Amino acid sequence: MASTTSPHILLIDSYDSFTHNLAALCRRAIPQCHVHIVKNDALSAQKLPAILPCFAAVIVGPGPGSPDIPEDIGVIRHLWNLPLSTILPIFGVCLGLQSLAIESGARLRRLDVVKHGQISRIHHDGTGLFKGVGEAHGVRYHSLHVELRGGGEVEQLAWADDGEENGSVVMAIKHKTKPFWAVQYHPESVCTSGGGLEVLRNFWRLAKNWHVLHERVVRPWKQDMRSIVGPSWPESRVHSVPEHHDSSSVTTTILHLPDLPVAEICELFAARDESSPFVLLESAAQPGRFSIIGCVDPDSLRIVYSVGDQHVRVTDSAGSRLEPLGSRDIWSWLASFMRHRKASNGSPDIPFWGGLVGYLGYELGVDSLAIPLPSRKSVSSRRHPDVNLIFVERSIVVDSHSDDVYVQSLKENDSEWLQATFSLLNSAWSASQELSTPRHLSAVFSTPPIVTLPDKALYKSRIEIAKEHLFAGDSYELCLTAHTHVVVQPRADPTSSSWTLYKHLRTRNPAPHSGYLRLHPTTLLSSSPERFLSYSRPPHTNCQLRPIKGTVRKAPGITRSVAEELLAGSTKEVAENLMIVDLIRHDLHGVVGDDVTVKQFCRVEEYETVWQLVSVIEGGSSRISGDSSDTTSGELGWEVLRRSLPPGSMTGAPKKRSVEILQGLEDDDRSVYSGVFGYWCVGGSGDWSVVIRSCFKYDDRSVAGEKANASAVPDAGTEEWTIGAGGAITALSDVDAEWDEMTVKLQSVLRTFEAAAV
Ligand SMILES: C=C(O[C@@H]1C=C(C(=O)O)C=C[C@H]1O)C(=O)O
Ligand SMILES: NC(=O)CC[C@H](N)C(=O)O
């Protein structure tokens, strides 16, 4: 039978953020299957009779919203009443179960105590779907549940005992006469055990039996099906891009300079000169290792882009010009830019040889989710860059483990600069050896900063609204944030005030992903603890994501073991983190295919002002068949970045619906905050950090001036900085505790402004 040798499976996606995890599980459970993922609004009910005969089974995935809202459920509700001639085995997950149940006579209810990212014991009788399963624990992501009624068409197969919270809750059902099975928990979650792979394998066994019993023959696959249901997942990523050979060459000299401070090296270059661009990506704390200094100048090539533009602004020594995007988007434009600057002869011991450095703002990611940016319309003529990058040709990389300092240039015949820099660094090192007392950091501002905090009552009311969305089933977790505005009066000083402010920040809040990006019109100062994505040099690119969820303020008495109890020992904090781990797995699976693993789950890490719960997810390209072009061209990591923004830890899950809800709960574009900053090296590696615990300003201040309250509108000579801060809201959130958590994160940057005033 065609269905059992290499079956085609239709996976219907309700815009969930776990769908690729389910597809990956399906590929493990059903040998040699082809999984076709289709959105629930991409198929009409009329099309079903034509396409279903080609499939061996359908999987109905989870999703936000409610099975009785047509926009949330799309074509799914038509599956349950198919004519007998079209019927086929279907497996539903969560929203899928709820839809099957209500179309079969059950009642839909809200849970009294919702369960998001929580693990429950799944009780079952060990038969049918649960044959041979034994003890099962399932991760739950639901606000709604079903109550079966006597005489209905579905029967219960498994349940969870929620005690006084919700009583007994249906966890699995089957249709009494039709080949439909469904589970309420998520079999694809990383923390589901017993009820995951085993249950999907059982579904396939039951489905095959049903085919035999009913003599159903799956129609042979026709190529024109591809135009309706797309290719099977994961797509083999064959590029039409011609092979590019190296077009850049890196010249490197290495010095051994123990204890030469990174900030001092920066000051040998343009760091203190406000009129020049400057970039530093600094590992100012563990687990960071390398610091990257861009030795750039006003002639260095700059790339600036705002969402919605049909062009990219490119500025270099020849001036500024608009380059049309044509049929490309900004991502493929940048990929092509980098393809023409490939190099392979840098030092294998360091991650960066030269390349693009800068930031990608939050709204760039929102745009890639196909969500409109409403607030942009009113300020369209004065929008700030969503992409702001500089091409670094000369750089210095400091390895804090070995104390080696790498001086590098991508320019041809640049030995004069390399030699001069070599001498400059050597003399700076000799001078620093003689200087025994640490230098005092000078004040940056002549008056105390004027701070406009988010309105506490308003923020708290928004936490309540967020929770209402969670209770209704629209989202499982929402990362709510707000902007704080800080107006300051820099002292008359020839040294760039933002550079000195950065030195204060890195001293007070040293972080593994610190950074100083002076890319006019934007200046960004970061003390971020969070890596979003790093990808190693090809071939065989490995991608690593390190989401943080779960924060505890450092204070006397909060030792590591106390923090571990408060974070790793807390159902709420682990659930918060687990939801993002599952979301990131989905994002990564979406590009690299099957090869995704959770390397670290919910470990407590120590930072300067906070303890954080951190997980590590990795994936690579090595196992995608026919993937040679990607692994050698180095664009796999870039593709992961393109398809995974905004960072899941800054949105919540499911990502699309959560971002839409957050747009209605936040006043401003998040802008640079919540985006990523970092680099893409000419050798193909990259490392991008989440813009949190950071502040930024725009030279023209137009948006800030417009938004700030009247008393805070900056006078001439003043600067306005913005600090974003927030936190994940879950159904278990306490409103006051969430306000406090937001202010703890805010303080990690805000107190630097206070310290930097005279
Ligand atoms: C939203 C912020 O941080 C995010 C939220 C966290 C949380 O809810 O625990 C932790 C790290 C970040 O992913 C912020 O720092 O502003
Ligand atoms: N994970 C899901 O599919 C959730 C289904 C539904 N939105 C609920 O919250 O109950």
Side-chain angles (χ1 to χ4, degrees), residues 538-576:
H540 311 306
T541 300
N542 185 52
C543 298
Q544 185 195 69
L545 294 103
R546 289 186 118 256
I548 297 184
K549 271 283 149 267
T551 305
V552 164
R553 180 209 305 252
K554 276 171 96 177
I558 310 286
T559 57
R560 168 168 280 279
S561 65
V562 172
E564 275 169 359
E565 204 181 301
L566 292 172
L567 290 170
S570 148
T571 307
K572 172 183 177 289
E573 304 294 333
V574 171
E576 231 175 87

mmCIF file of all heavy atoms in Angstrom, residues 538-576:
data_model
loop_
_atom_site.group_PDB
_atom_site.id
_atom_site.type_symbol
_atom_site.label_atom_id
_atom_site.label_comp_id
_atom_site.label_asym_id
_atom_site.label_seq_id
_atom_site.Cartn_x
_atom_site.Cartn_y
_atom_site.Cartn_z
ATOM 1 N N PRO A 538 31.175 28.051 8.192
ATOM 2 C CA PRO A 538 30.922 26.845 7.400
ATOM 3 C C PRO A 538 32.234 26.160 7.010
ATOM 4 O O PRO A 538 33.289 26.781 7.131
ATOM 5 C CB PRO A 538 30.218 27.397 6.156
ATOM 6 C CG PRO A 538 30.662 28.821 6.060
ATOM 7 C CD PRO A 538 30.937 29.274 7.453
ATOM 8 N N PRO A 539 32.291 24.932 6.520
ATOM 9 C CA PRO A 539 31.096 24.105 6.338
ATOM 10 C C PRO A 539 30.621 23.524 7.675
ATOM 11 O O PRO A 539 31.314 23.619 8.664
ATOM 12 C CB PRO A 539 31.593 22.991 5.403
ATOM 13 C CG PRO A 539 33.049 22.890 5.693
ATOM 14 C CD PRO A 539 33.518 24.273 6.046
ATOM 15 N N HIS A 540 29.457 22.924 7.667
ATOM 16 C CA HIS A 540 28.833 22.319 8.851
ATOM 17 C C HIS A 540 28.577 23.360 9.945
ATOM 18 O O HIS A 540 29.037 23.249 11.073
ATOM 19 C CB HIS A 540 29.687 21.157 9.390
ATOM 20 C CG HIS A 540 30.087 20.207 8.316
ATOM 21 N ND1 HIS A 540 29.147 19.630 7.492
ATOM 22 C CD2 HIS A 540 31.302 19.784 7.889
ATOM 23 C CE1 HIS A 540 29.777 18.873 6.609
ATOM 24 N NE2 HIS A 540 31.077 18.953 6.820
ATOM 25 N N THR A 541 27.853 24.366 9.555
ATOM 26 C CA THR A 541 27.492 25.430 10.480
ATOM 27 C C THR A 541 26.684 24.882 11.657
ATOM 28 O O THR A 541 25.726 24.147 11.474
ATOM 29 C CB THR A 541 26.615 26.470 9.740
ATOM 30 O OG1 THR A 541 27.383 26.994 8.666
ATOM 31 C CG2 THR A 541 26.154 27.573 10.668
ATOM 32 N N ASN A 542 27.102 25.271 12.869
ATOM 33 C CA ASN A 542 26.304 24.958 14.048
ATOM 34 C C ASN A 542 25.677 26.259 14.554
ATOM 35 O O ASN A 542 26.355 27.271 14.674
ATOM 36 C CB ASN A 542 27.195 24.342 15.144
ATOM 37 C CG ASN A 542 26.368 23.887 16.325
ATOM 38 O OD1 ASN A 542 25.398 23.153 16.173
ATOM 39 N ND2 ASN A 542 26.727 24.363 17.514
ATOM 40 N N CYS A 543 24.365 26.213 14.802
ATOM 41 C CA CYS A 543 23.676 27.407 15.298
ATOM 42 C C CYS A 543 23.381 27.200 16.779
ATOM 43 O O CYS A 543 22.949 26.120 17.188
ATOM 44 C CB CYS A 543 22.349 27.608 14.577
ATOM 45 S SG CYS A 543 22.547 27.876 12.818
ATOM 46 N N GLN A 544 23.620 28.251 17.565
ATOM 47 C CA GLN A 544 23.311 28.160 18.986
ATOM 48 C C GLN A 544 22.432 29.325 19.420
ATOM 49 O O GLN A 544 22.730 30.479 19.104
ATOM 50 C CB GLN A 544 24.593 28.185 19.821
ATOM 51 C CG GLN A 544 24.318 27.967 21.292
ATOM 52 C CD GLN A 544 25.473 28.325 22.201
ATOM 53 O OE1 GLN A 544 25.827 29.481 22.361
ATOM 54 N NE2 GLN A 544 26.080 27.303 22.788
ATOM 55 N N LEU A 545 21.342 29.028 20.131
ATOM 56 C CA LEU A 545 20.487 30.080 20.691
ATOM 57 C C LEU A 545 20.460 29.887 22.198
ATOM 58 O O LEU A 545 20.470 28.755 22.685
ATOM 59 C CB LEU A 545 19.077 30.002 20.115
ATOM 60 C CG LEU A 545 19.016 30.319 18.609
ATOM 61 C CD1 LEU A 545 18.871 29.059 17.789
ATOM 62 C CD2 LEU A 545 17.910 31.292 18.283
ATOM 63 N N ARG A 546 20.467 31.013 22.941
ATOM 64 C CA ARG A 546 20.563 30.934 24.413
ATOM 65 C C ARG A 546 19.472 31.770 25.071
ATOM 66 O O ARG A 546 19.759 32.799 25.668
ATOM 67 C CB ARG A 546 21.928 31.464 24.881
ATOM 68 C CG ARG A 546 23.112 30.608 24.570
ATOM 69 C CD ARG A 546 24.372 31.214 25.228
ATOM 70 N NE ARG A 546 24.946 30.319 26.196
ATOM 71 C CZ ARG A 546 24.838 30.443 27.510
ATOM 72 N NH1 ARG A 546 24.176 31.457 28.032
ATOM 73 N NH2 ARG A 546 25.412 29.572 28.308
ATOM 74 N N PRO A 547 18.218 31.367 24.960
ATOM 75 C CA PRO A 547 17.168 32.217 25.534
ATOM 76 C C PRO A 547 17.230 32.288 27.068
ATOM 77 O O PRO A 547 17.553 31.297 27.727
ATOM 78 C CB PRO A 547 15.877 31.529 25.083
ATOM 79 C CG PRO A 547 16.262 30.112 24.853
ATOM 80 C CD PRO A 547 17.682 30.149 24.353
ATOM 81 N N ILE A 548 16.929 33.481 27.557
ATOM 82 C CA ILE A 548 16.838 33.701 29.005
ATOM 83 C C ILE A 548 15.378 33.950 29.345
ATOM 84 O O ILE A 548 14.714 34.747 28.700
ATOM 85 C CB ILE A 548 17.661 34.946 29.419
ATOM 86 C CG1 ILE A 548 19.148 34.730 29.106
ATOM 87 C CG2 ILE A 548 17.447 35.261 30.883
ATOM 88 C CD1 ILE A 548 20.048 35.861 29.578
ATOM 89 N N LYS A 549 14.900 33.254 30.329
ATOM 90 C CA LYS A 549 13.557 33.542 30.883
ATOM 91 C C LYS A 549 13.614 33.131 32.321
ATOM 92 O O LYS A 549 13.944 31.982 32.631
ATOM 93 C CB LYS A 549 12.465 32.733 30.181
ATOM 94 C CG LYS A 549 11.861 33.378 28.983
ATOM 95 C CD LYS A 549 10.870 34.455 29.300
ATOM 96 C CE LYS A 549 10.870 35.520 28.223
ATOM 97 N NZ LYS A 549 11.749 36.628 28.504
ATOM 98 N N GLY A 550 13.284 34.039 33.197
ATOM 99 C CA GLY A 550 13.379 33.777 34.622
ATOM 100 C C GLY A 550 14.465 34.667 35.198
ATOM 101 O O GLY A 550 15.635 34.531 34.863
ATOM 102 N N THR A 551 14.046 35.616 36.033
ATOM 103 C CA THR A 551 14.968 36.625 36.548
ATOM 104 C C THR A 551 14.758 36.793 38.043
ATOM 105 O O THR A 551 13.618 36.893 38.510
ATOM 106 C CB THR A 551 14.684 37.994 35.860
ATOM 107 O OG1 THR A 551 14.750 37.812 34.444
ATOM 108 C CG2 THR A 551 15.677 39.061 36.283
ATOM 109 N N VAL A 552 15.875 36.823 38.796
ATOM 110 C CA VAL A 552 15.801 37.151 40.221
ATOM 111 C C VAL A 552 16.873 38.193 40.517
ATOM 112 O O VAL A 552 18.020 38.051 40.097
ATOM 113 C CB VAL A 552 16.017 35.888 41.093
ATOM 114 C CG1 VAL A 552 16.330 36.258 42.522
ATOM 115 C CG2 VAL A 552 14.787 34.998 41.055
ATOM 116 N N ARG A 553 16.495 39.237 41.231
ATOM 117 C CA ARG A 553 17.425 40.313 41.584
ATOM 118 C C ARG A 553 18.483 39.787 42.559
ATOM 119 O O ARG A 553 18.175 39.014 43.470
ATOM 120 C CB ARG A 553 16.610 41.418 42.266
ATOM 121 C CG ARG A 553 17.401 42.628 42.703
ATOM 122 C CD ARG A 553 16.751 43.280 43.919
ATOM 123 N NE ARG A 553 15.344 43.624 43.705
ATOM 124 C CZ ARG A 553 14.891 44.867 43.556
ATOM 125 N NH1 ARG A 553 15.719 45.879 43.573
ATOM 126 N NH2 ARG A 553 13.609 45.100 43.412
ATOM 127 N N LYS A 554 19.737 40.218 42.338
ATOM 128 C CA LYS A 554 20.769 39.831 43.297
ATOM 129 C C LYS A 554 20.658 40.726 44.524
ATOM 130 O O LYS A 554 20.492 41.932 44.399
ATOM 131 C CB LYS A 554 22.157 39.957 42.665
ATOM 132 C CG LYS A 554 22.513 38.717 41.874
ATOM 133 C CD LYS A 554 23.744 38.892 41.079
ATOM 134 C CE LYS A 554 24.972 38.381 41.728
ATOM 135 N NZ LYS A 554 26.139 38.547 40.816
ATOM 136 N N ALA A 555 20.742 40.114 45.676
ATOM 137 C CA ALA A 555 20.615 40.874 46.922
ATOM 138 C C ALA A 555 21.284 40.050 48.011
ATOM 139 O O ALA A 555 21.511 38.845 47.822
ATOM 140 C CB ALA A 555 19.126 41.085 47.241
ATOM 141 N N PRO A 556 21.578 40.683 49.159
ATOM 142 C CA PRO A 556 22.175 39.903 50.238
ATOM 143 C C PRO A 556 21.279 38.707 50.561
ATOM 144 O O PRO A 556 20.058 38.835 50.618
ATOM 145 C CB PRO A 556 22.222 40.892 51.415
ATOM 146 C CG PRO A 556 22.146 42.248 50.795
ATOM 147 C CD PRO A 556 21.397 42.107 49.510
ATOM 148 N N GLY A 557 21.883 37.561 50.740
ATOM 149 C CA GLY A 557 21.097 36.371 51.076
ATOM 150 C C GLY A 557 20.662 35.572 49.856
ATOM 151 O O GLY A 557 20.289 34.411 49.976
ATOM 152 N N ILE A 558 20.677 36.210 48.679
ATOM 153 C CA ILE A 558 20.277 35.460 47.475
ATOM 154 C C ILE A 558 21.542 34.781 46.931
ATOM 155 O O ILE A 558 22.184 35.270 45.997
ATOM 156 C CB ILE A 558 19.611 36.357 46.404
ATOM 157 C CG1 ILE A 558 18.494 37.210 47.008
ATOM 158 C CG2 ILE A 558 19.076 35.511 45.241
ATOM 159 C CD1 ILE A 558 17.222 36.477 47.348
ATOM 160 N N THR A 559 21.885 33.665 47.567
ATOM 161 C CA THR A 559 23.049 32.901 47.123
ATOM 162 C C THR A 559 22.650 32.069 45.905
ATOM 163 O O THR A 559 21.476 32.022 45.539
ATOM 164 C CB THR A 559 23.485 31.922 48.227
ATOM 165 O OG1 THR A 559 22.346 31.106 48.513
ATOM 166 C CG2 THR A 559 23.914 32.652 49.484
ATOM 167 N N ARG A 560 23.640 31.383 45.318
ATOM 168 C CA ARG A 560 23.314 30.539 44.167
ATOM 169 C C ARG A 560 22.230 29.516 44.513
ATOM 170 O O ARG A 560 21.279 29.323 43.766
ATOM 171 C CB ARG A 560 24.573 29.839 43.634
ATOM 172 C CG ARG A 560 24.269 28.748 42.634
ATOM 173 C CD ARG A 560 25.477 28.248 41.907
ATOM 174 N NE ARG A 560 25.884 29.128 40.821
ATOM 175 C CZ ARG A 560 25.328 29.136 39.615
ATOM 176 N NH1 ARG A 560 24.337 28.340 39.329
ATOM 177 N NH2 ARG A 560 25.767 29.961 38.692
ATOM 178 N N SER A 561 22.356 28.889 45.693
ATOM 179 C CA SER A 561 21.366 27.840 45.970
ATOM 180 C C SER A 561 19.976 28.437 46.203
ATOM 181 O O SER A 561 18.965 27.841 45.818
ATOM 182 C CB SER A 561 21.800 26.936 47.116
ATOM 183 O OG SER A 561 21.865 27.680 48.299
ATOM 184 N N VAL A 562 19.917 29.640 46.778
ATOM 185 C CA VAL A 562 18.603 30.291 46.934
ATOM 186 C C VAL A 562 18.048 30.622 45.551
ATOM 187 O O VAL A 562 16.872 30.378 45.245
ATOM 188 C CB VAL A 562 18.711 31.570 47.803
ATOM 189 C CG1 VAL A 562 17.394 32.342 47.807
ATOM 190 C CG2 VAL A 562 19.129 31.217 49.225
ATOM 191 N N ALA A 563 18.913 31.171 44.683
ATOM 192 C CA ALA A 563 18.467 31.528 43.329
ATOM 193 C C ALA A 563 18.003 30.284 42.576
ATOM 194 O O ALA A 563 17.012 30.331 41.834
ATOM 195 C CB ALA A 563 19.596 32.223 42.569
ATOM 196 N N GLU A 564 18.707 29.185 42.787
ATOM 197 C CA GLU A 564 18.301 27.947 42.102
ATOM 198 C C GLU A 564 16.920 27.502 42.555
ATOM 199 O O GLU A 564 16.099 27.061 41.766
ATOM 200 C CB GLU A 564 19.338 26.841 42.332
ATOM 201 C CG GLU A 564 20.446 26.977 41.314
ATOM 202 C CD GLU A 564 21.667 26.120 41.576
ATOM 203 O OE1 GLU A 564 21.697 25.401 42.591
ATOM 204 O OE2 GLU A 564 22.597 26.215 40.748
ATOM 205 N N GLU A 565 16.677 27.654 43.851
ATOM 206 C CA GLU A 565 15.356 27.278 44.358
ATOM 207 C C GLU A 565 14.280 28.207 43.773
ATOM 208 O O GLU A 565 13.216 27.769 43.368
ATOM 209 C CB GLU A 565 15.377 27.388 45.871
ATOM 210 C CG GLU A 565 14.353 26.532 46.557
ATOM 211 C CD GLU A 565 14.461 26.743 48.059
ATOM 212 O OE1 GLU A 565 15.553 26.496 48.607
ATOM 213 O OE2 GLU A 565 13.461 27.182 48.654
ATOM 214 N N LEU A 566 14.608 29.515 43.726
ATOM 215 C CA LEU A 566 13.630 30.489 43.246
ATOM 216 C C LEU A 566 13.387 30.381 41.746
ATOM 217 O O LEU A 566 12.318 30.721 41.256
ATOM 218 C CB LEU A 566 14.098 31.922 43.562
ATOM 219 C CG LEU A 566 14.127 32.312 45.037
ATOM 220 C CD1 LEU A 566 14.795 33.659 45.222
ATOM 221 C CD2 LEU A 566 12.702 32.350 45.588
ATOM 222 N N LEU A 567 14.397 29.925 41.011
ATOM 223 C CA LEU A 567 14.254 29.876 39.554
ATOM 224 C C LEU A 567 14.026 28.435 39.073
ATOM 225 O O LEU A 567 12.925 28.078 38.682
ATOM 226 C CB LEU A 567 15.488 30.485 38.876
ATOM 227 C CG LEU A 567 15.632 32.003 39.033
ATOM 228 C CD1 LEU A 567 16.999 32.478 38.541
ATOM 229 C CD2 LEU A 567 14.541 32.753 38.272
ATOM 230 N N ALA A 568 15.080 27.610 39.155
ATOM 231 C CA ALA A 568 14.956 26.246 38.628
ATOM 232 C C ALA A 568 13.944 25.431 39.432
ATOM 233 O O ALA A 568 13.388 24.449 38.941
ATOM 234 C CB ALA A 568 16.311 25.567 38.625
ATOM 235 N N GLY A 569 13.684 25.859 40.683
ATOM 236 C CA GLY A 569 12.734 25.114 41.514
ATOM 237 C C GLY A 569 11.316 25.646 41.417
ATOM 238 O O GLY A 569 10.427 25.183 42.117
ATOM 239 N N SER A 570 11.098 26.629 40.569
ATOM 240 C CA SER A 570 9.776 27.257 40.518
ATOM 241 C C SER A 570 9.001 26.821 39.276
ATOM 242 O O SER A 570 9.486 26.938 38.148
ATOM 243 C CB SER A 570 9.944 28.790 40.512
ATOM 244 O OG SER A 570 8.916 29.405 39.784
ATOM 245 N N THR A 571 7.780 26.342 39.481
ATOM 246 C CA THR A 571 6.939 25.920 38.345
ATOM 247 C C THR A 571 6.754 27.084 37.383
ATOM 248 O O THR A 571 6.833 26.917 36.168
ATOM 249 C CB THR A 571 5.547 25.485 38.873
ATOM 250 O OG1 THR A 571 5.755 24.515 39.885
ATOM 251 C CG2 THR A 571 4.683 24.932 37.780
ATOM 252 N N LYS A 572 6.514 28.273 37.940
ATOM 253 C CA LYS A 572 6.262 29.443 37.089
ATOM 254 C C LYS A 572 7.475 29.773 36.220
ATOM 255 O O LYS A 572 7.355 29.969 35.006
ATOM 256 C CB LYS A 572 5.914 30.645 37.970
ATOM 257 C CG LYS A 572 5.825 31.953 37.195
ATOM 258 C CD LYS A 572 5.555 33.136 38.124
ATOM 259 C CE LYS A 572 5.526 34.456 37.376
ATOM 260 N NZ LYS A 572 6.826 34.906 36.895
ATOM 261 N N GLU A 573 8.647 29.834 36.838
ATOM 262 C CA GLU A 573 9.838 30.260 36.084
ATOM 263 C C GLU A 573 10.235 29.207 35.043
ATOM 264 O O GLU A 573 10.604 29.542 33.925
ATOM 265 C CB GLU A 573 11.012 30.531 37.031
ATOM 266 C CG GLU A 573 10.732 31.543 38.138
ATOM 267 C CD GLU A 573 10.489 32.966 37.641
ATOM 268 O OE1 GLU A 573 11.004 33.334 36.574
ATOM 269 O OE2 GLU A 573 9.758 33.710 38.333
ATOM 270 N N VAL A 574 10.148 27.930 35.441
ATOM 271 C CA VAL A 574 10.517 26.872 34.486
ATOM 272 C C VAL A 574 9.520 26.858 33.321
ATOM 273 O O VAL A 574 9.907 26.715 32.157
ATOM 274 C CB VAL A 574 10.609 25.494 35.183
ATOM 275 C CG1 VAL A 574 10.768 24.367 34.180
ATOM 276 C CG2 VAL A 574 11.779 25.489 36.168
ATOM 277 N N ALA A 575 8.237 27.053 33.625
ATOM 278 C CA ALA A 575 7.234 27.085 32.552
ATOM 279 C C ALA A 575 7.553 28.227 31.579
ATOM 280 O O ALA A 575 7.510 28.056 30.355
ATOM 281 C CB ALA A 575 5.840 27.275 33.143
ATOM 282 N N GLU A 576 7.886 29.390 32.120
ATOM 283 C CA GLU A 576 8.217 30.562 31.303
ATOM 284 C C GLU A 576 9.362 30.244 30.339
ATOM 285 O O GLU A 576 9.328 30.600 29.165
ATOM 286 C CB GLU A 576 8.697 31.651 32.280
ATOM 287 C CG GLU A 576 8.028 32.983 32.113
ATOM 288 C CD GLU A 576 8.491 33.943 33.210
ATOM 289 O OE1 GLU A 576 9.524 34.607 33.042
ATOM 290 O OE2 GLU A 576 7.805 34.008 34.229
#
